[in-house]
Amino acid sequence: MARTRQKAKQRKAKRLEQERKAAERSGQRTGDGAATEAVRELEEAQLEVAEEVQEARRAAEVATAPEPTPVPPRESVQEKASWRERRRAEVAQREKPQPEKARPEKRAEKRPEKARPPARAERRRDVRSRGRIINFFIQVWAELRRVQWPDRTQVTQATGVVIVFCVIAGAYLASWDYLFSKLIGVLL
């Protein structure tokens, strides 16, 4: 909502600027207060727009600013070292992979594991390592596999429609050509 008001004020300022320039070009500055009033309104509108832009920037900076990390109170060197060690242990604990829960086996025999496709990050690396031309052809092939190709009946139906339309358009143009050639022949 603030953006629409801001854009409206920008449009108003632009319109007033254009009116002022038009008045200057046409030489209407004969001492009447209309031109000076327009200039004053223009400057006020520009100031309002500038203030709103600054407020919007401040709001965006506040919204995107990261939260400050808590700073431990001042401690001795040994306490700082122990705090760092505790922090490292917390980070290591978070990064440590969690053990998988054991599932009961439904069947005595295990299924052979299927080869899983590579993760997204690995696929991205594969794409980046290929050349541009090879990557282009791979993408073309992927697009062609997504195409819904028509079957024989759809192709014959579409071909028939095209042929009938061409015959109708040809007859229409031939009739107008015949009429105009006869009309020109009579007039000359």
Side-chain angles (χ1 to χ4, degrees), residues 22 26 31 44 66 76 78 88 91-92 99 110 126 128 144 181 186:
S26 64
E44 289 174 3
S76 67
Q78 287 180 335
R88 285 184 187 143
V91 170
K110 287 189 176 181
D126 290 344
R128 289 181 189 153
L144 287 175
S181 65
V186 170

Side-chain angles (χ1 to χ4, degrees), residues 50-65:
E51 289 172 0
E52 286 187 4
V53 168
Q54 287 178 350
E55 288 175 14
R57 284 183 183 160
R58 282 189 212 118
E61 287 174 2
V62 168
T64 59

Side-chain angles (χ1 to χ4, degrees), residues 27-79:
Q28 292 179 353
R29 293 188 93 185
T30 58
D32 63 357
T36 56
E37 182 67 29
V39 170
R40 191 174 330 113
E41 287 180 12
L42 172 67
E43 290 172 351
E44 289 174 3
Q46 287 175 341
L47 287 173
E48 289 175 2
V49 168
E51 289 172 0
E52 286 187 4
V53 168
Q54 287 178 350
E55 288 175 14
R57 284 183 183 160
R58 282 189 212 118
E61 287 174 2
V62 168
T64 59
E67 293 184 20
T69 56
V71 178
R74 290 197 165 242
E75 301 166 339
S76 67
V77 176
Q78 287 180 335
E79 291 174 348

